[in-house]
PDB file of all heavy atoms in Angstrom:
ATOM      1  N   ARG E  77      84.307 234.393-135.073  1.00 97.00           N
ATOM      2  CA  ARG E  77      85.355 234.400-134.050  1.00 97.00           C
ATOM      3  C   ARG E  77      85.541 235.824-133.534  1.00 97.00           C
ATOM      4  O   ARG E  77      85.333 236.788-134.255  1.00 97.00           O
ATOM      5  CB  ARG E  77      86.660 233.883-134.654  1.00 97.00           C
ATOM      6  CG  ARG E  77      87.773 233.717-133.644  1.00 97.00           C
ATOM      7  CD  ARG E  77      88.942 232.934-134.261  1.00 97.00           C
ATOM      8  NE  ARG E  77      90.016 232.810-133.317  1.00 97.00           N
ATOM      9  CZ  ARG E  77      90.093 231.935-132.330  1.00 97.00           C
ATOM     10  NH1 ARG E  77      89.099 231.079-132.139  1.00 97.00           N
ATOM     11  NH2 ARG E  77      91.118 231.900-131.509  1.00 97.00           N
ATOM     12  N   PHE E  78      85.958 235.959-132.266  1.00 96.00           N
ATOM     13  CA  PHE E  78      86.179 237.278-131.685  1.00 96.00           C
ATOM     14  C   PHE E  78      87.260 238.027-132.465  1.00 96.00           C
ATOM     15  O   PHE E  78      88.128 237.430-133.072  1.00 96.00           O
ATOM     16  CB  PHE E  78      86.570 237.162-130.203  1.00 96.00           C
ATOM     17  CG  PHE E  78      87.964 236.620-129.957  1.00 96.00           C
ATOM     18  CD1 PHE E  78      89.049 237.469-129.881  1.00 96.00           C
ATOM     19  CD2 PHE E  78      88.167 235.255-129.816  1.00 96.00           C
ATOM     20  CE1 PHE E  78      90.324 236.981-129.662  1.00 96.00           C
ATOM     21  CE2 PHE E  78      89.448 234.759-129.583  1.00 96.00           C
ATOM     22  CZ  PHE E  78      90.530 235.613-129.515  1.00 96.00           C
ATOM     23  N   TYR E  79      87.203 239.350-132.405  1.00 96.00           N
ATOM     24  CA  TYR E  79      88.282 240.125-132.989  1.00 96.00           C
ATOM     25  C   TYR E  79      89.138 240.782-131.906  1.00 96.00           C
ATOM     26  O   TYR E  79      90.236 241.272-132.203  1.00 96.00           O
ATOM     27  CB  TYR E  79      87.776 241.172-133.991  1.00 96.00           C
ATOM     28  CG  TYR E  79      87.049 242.354-133.403  1.00 96.00           C
ATOM     29  CD1 TYR E  79      87.734 243.492-132.987  1.00 96.00           C
ATOM     30  CD2 TYR E  79      85.666 242.337-133.283  1.00 96.00           C
ATOM     31  CE1 TYR E  79      87.061 244.579-132.464  1.00 96.00           C
ATOM     32  CE2 TYR E  79      84.984 243.424-132.768  1.00 96.00           C
ATOM     33  CZ  TYR E  79      85.684 244.535-132.356  1.00 96.00           C
ATOM     34  OH  TYR E  79      85.009 245.615-131.841  1.00 96.00           O
ATOM     35  N   LYS E  80      88.649 240.765-130.659  1.00 96.00           N
ATOM     36  CA  LYS E  80      89.431 241.355-129.578  1.00 96.00           C
ATOM     37  C   LYS E  80      88.962 240.786-128.248  1.00 96.00           C
ATOM     38  O   LYS E  80      87.770 240.610-128.020  1.00 96.00           O
ATOM     39  CB  LYS E  80      89.261 242.868-129.589  1.00 96.00           C
ATOM     40  CG  LYS E  80      89.989 243.593-128.476  1.00 96.00           C
ATOM     41  CD  LYS E  80      89.991 245.102-128.619  1.00 96.00           C
ATOM     42  CE  LYS E  80      88.644 245.733-128.675  1.00 96.00           C
ATOM     43  NZ  LYS E  80      88.660 247.191-128.642  1.00 96.00           N
ATOM     44  N   ARG E  81      89.924 240.503-127.356  1.00 95.00           N
ATOM     45  CA  ARG E  81      89.651 240.181-125.956  1.00 95.00           C
ATOM     46  C   ARG E  81      90.553 241.081-125.122  1.00 95.00           C
ATOM     47  O   ARG E  81      91.733 241.218-125.428  1.00 95.00           O
ATOM     48  CB  ARG E  81      89.967 238.720-125.642  1.00 95.00           C
ATOM     49  CG  ARG E  81      89.012 237.727-126.247  1.00 95.00           C
ATOM     50  CD  ARG E  81      89.165 236.331-125.697  1.00 95.00           C
ATOM     51  NE  ARG E  81      90.362 235.666-126.195  1.00 95.00           N
ATOM     52  CZ  ARG E  81      90.524 234.349-126.212  1.00 95.00           C
ATOM     53  NH1 ARG E  81      89.579 233.561-125.768  1.00 95.00           N
ATOM     54  NH2 ARG E  81      91.631 233.818-126.657  1.00 95.00           N
ATOM     55  N   THR E  82      89.980 241.675-124.083  1.00 95.00           N
ATOM     56  CA  THR E  82      90.761 242.622-123.289  1.00 95.00           C
ATOM     57  C   THR E  82      90.221 242.713-121.867  1.00 95.00           C
ATOM     58  O   THR E  82      89.060 242.370-121.611  1.00 95.00           O
ATOM     59  CB  THR E  82      90.737 244.018-123.953  1.00 95.00           C
ATOM     60  OG1 THR E  82      91.614 244.888-123.247  1.00 95.00           O
ATOM     61  CG2 THR E  82      89.348 244.600-123.977  1.00 95.00           C
ATOM     62  N   PHE E  83      91.062 243.169-120.966  1.00 97.00           N
ATOM     63  CA  PHE E  83      90.600 243.463-119.614  1.00 97.00           C
ATOM     64  C   PHE E  83      89.858 244.794-119.635  1.00 97.00           C
ATOM     65  O   PHE E  83      90.205 245.700-120.370  1.00 97.00           O
ATOM     66  CB  PHE E  83      91.785 243.547-118.631  1.00 97.00           C
ATOM     67  CG  PHE E  83      92.395 242.224-118.312  1.00 97.00           C
ATOM     68  CD1 PHE E  83      93.629 241.858-118.829  1.00 97.00           C
ATOM     69  CD2 PHE E  83      91.732 241.332-117.474  1.00 97.00           C
ATOM     70  CE1 PHE E  83      94.195 240.631-118.524  1.00 97.00           C
ATOM     71  CE2 PHE E  83      92.288 240.105-117.157  1.00 97.00           C
ATOM     72  CZ  PHE E  83      93.516 239.755-117.695  1.00 97.00           C
ATOM     73  N   LEU E  84      88.851 244.893-118.776  1.00 97.00           N
ATOM     74  CA  LEU E  84      88.044 246.108-118.660  1.00 97.00           C
ATOM     75  C   LEU E  84      87.964 246.523-117.208  1.00 97.00           C
ATOM     76  O   LEU E  84      88.114 245.704-116.303  1.00 97.00           O
ATOM     77  CB  LEU E  84      86.613 245.863-119.172  1.00 97.00           C
ATOM     78  CG  LEU E  84      86.438 245.418-120.610  1.00 97.00           C
ATOM     79  CD1 LEU E  84      84.983 245.062-120.862  1.00 97.00           C
ATOM     80  CD2 LEU E  84      86.905 246.494-121.577  1.00 97.00           C
ATOM     81  N   LYS E  85      87.710 247.808-116.995  1.00 96.00           N
ATOM     82  CA  LYS E  85      87.385 248.282-115.652  1.00 96.00           C
ATOM     83  C   LYS E  85      86.235 249.268-115.775  1.00 96.00           C
ATOM     84  O   LYS E  85      86.107 249.982-116.767  1.00 96.00           O
ATOM     85  CB  LYS E  85      88.586 248.928-114.958  1.00 96.00           C
ATOM     86  CG  LYS E  85      89.106 250.199-115.590  1.00 96.00           C
ATOM     87  CD  LYS E  85      90.275 250.730-114.775  1.00 96.00           C
ATOM     88  CE  LYS E  85      90.828 252.002-115.409  1.00 96.00           C
ATOM     89  NZ  LYS E  85      91.947 252.536-114.654  1.00 96.00           N
ATOM     90  N   GLU E  86      85.358 249.255-114.763  1.00 96.00           N
ATOM     91  CA  GLU E  86      84.237 250.193-114.757  1.00 96.00           C
ATOM     92  C   GLU E  86      84.783 251.598-114.585  1.00 96.00           C
ATOM     93  O   GLU E  86      85.690 251.829-113.780  1.00 96.00           O
ATOM     94  CB  GLU E  86      83.258 249.849-113.634  1.00 96.00           C
ATOM     95  CG  GLU E  86      82.477 248.593-113.886  1.00 96.00           C
ATOM     96  CD  GLU E  86      81.405 248.338-112.842  1.00 96.00           C
ATOM     97  OE1 GLU E  86      80.866 249.308-112.279  1.00 96.00           O
ATOM     98  OE2 GLU E  86      81.102 247.153-112.618  1.00 96.00           O
ATOM     99  N   ASP E  87      84.224 252.533-115.365  1.00 96.00           N
ATOM    100  CA  ASP E  87      84.656 253.925-115.299  1.00 96.00           C
ATOM    101  C   ASP E  87      83.528 254.806-115.816  1.00 96.00           C
ATOM    102  O   ASP E  87      83.027 254.572-116.923  1.00 96.00           O
ATOM    103  CB  ASP E  87      85.914 254.117-116.152  1.00 96.00           C
ATOM    104  CG  ASP E  87      86.530 255.487-115.975  1.00 96.00           C
ATOM    105  OD1 ASP E  87      85.867 256.491-116.316  1.00 96.00           O
ATOM    106  OD2 ASP E  87      87.673 255.565-115.498  1.00 96.00           O
ATOM    107  N   ALA E  88      83.138 255.803-115.037  1.00 96.00           N
ATOM    108  CA  ALA E  88      82.023 256.686-115.406  1.00 96.00           C
ATOM    109  C   ALA E  88      82.269 257.405-116.725  1.00 96.00           C
ATOM    110  O   ALA E  88      81.323 257.827-117.387  1.00 96.00           O
ATOM    111  CB  ALA E  88      81.773 257.705-114.293  1.00 96.00           C
ATOM    112  N   GLU E  89      83.525 257.534-117.155  1.00 95.00           N
ATOM    113  CA  GLU E  89      83.869 258.209-118.411  1.00 95.00           C
ATOM    114  C   GLU E  89      84.118 257.225-119.548  1.00 95.00           C
ATOM    115  O   GLU E  89      84.457 257.646-120.660  1.00 95.00           O
ATOM    116  CB  GLU E  89      85.117 259.077-118.212  1.00 95.00           C
ATOM    117  CG  GLU E  89      84.965 260.139-117.127  1.00 95.00           C
ATOM    118  CD  GLU E  89      83.860 261.123-117.420  1.00 95.00           C
ATOM    119  OE1 GLU E  89      83.748 261.561-118.583  1.00 95.00           O
ATOM    120  OE2 GLU E  89      83.089 261.437-116.492  1.00 95.00           O
ATOM    121  N   GLY E  90      83.964 255.930-119.291  1.00 94.00           N
ATOM    122  CA  GLY E  90      84.264 254.921-120.287  1.00 94.00           C
ATOM    123  C   GLY E  90      83.382 255.028-121.516  1.00 94.00           C
ATOM    124  O   GLY E  90      82.189 255.300-121.426  1.00 94.00           O
ATOM    125  N   ALA E  91      83.966 254.773-122.676  1.00 93.00           N
ATOM    126  CA  ALA E  91      83.236 254.866-123.943  1.00 93.00           C
ATOM    127  C   ALA E  91      82.410 253.615-124.226  1.00 93.00           C
ATOM    128  O   ALA E  91      81.408 253.675-124.936  1.00 93.00           O
ATOM    129  CB  ALA E  91      84.207 255.099-125.085  1.00 93.00           C
ATOM    130  N   LEU E  92      82.792 252.476-123.668  1.00 94.00           N
ATOM    131  CA  LEU E  92      82.058 251.230-123.888  1.00 94.00           C
ATOM    132  C   LEU E  92      80.941 251.136-122.859  1.00 94.00           C
ATOM    133  O   LEU E  92      81.189 251.167-121.655  1.00 94.00           O
ATOM    134  CB  LEU E  92      83.007 250.028-123.737  1.00 94.00           C
ATOM    135  CG  LEU E  92      82.352 248.651-123.821  1.00 94.00           C
ATOM    136  CD1 LEU E  92      81.742 248.416-125.194  1.00 94.00           C
ATOM    137  CD2 LEU E  92      83.377 247.567-123.494  1.00 94.00           C
ATOM    138  N   VAL E  93      79.703 251.010-123.347  1.00 92.00           N
ATOM    139  CA  VAL E  93      78.551 250.891-122.453  1.00 92.00           C
ATOM    140  C   VAL E  93      77.861 249.570-122.751  1.00 92.00           C
ATOM    141  O   VAL E  93      77.430 249.306-123.881  1.00 92.00           O
ATOM    142  CB  VAL E  93      77.547 252.061-122.660  1.00 92.00           C
ATOM    143  CG1 VAL E  93      76.372 251.920-121.695  1.00 92.00           C
ATOM    144  CG2 VAL E  93      78.227 253.406-122.493  1.00 92.00           C
TER     145      VAL E  93
END
Side-chain angles (χ1 to χ4, degrees):
R77 185 168 179 80
F78 71 90
Y79 71 88
K80 177 171 59 172
R81 289 192 286 202
T82 186
F83 287 107
L84 300 172
K85 65 179 179 180
E86 289 186 30
D87 188 297
E89 302 299 318
L92 175 64
V93 181

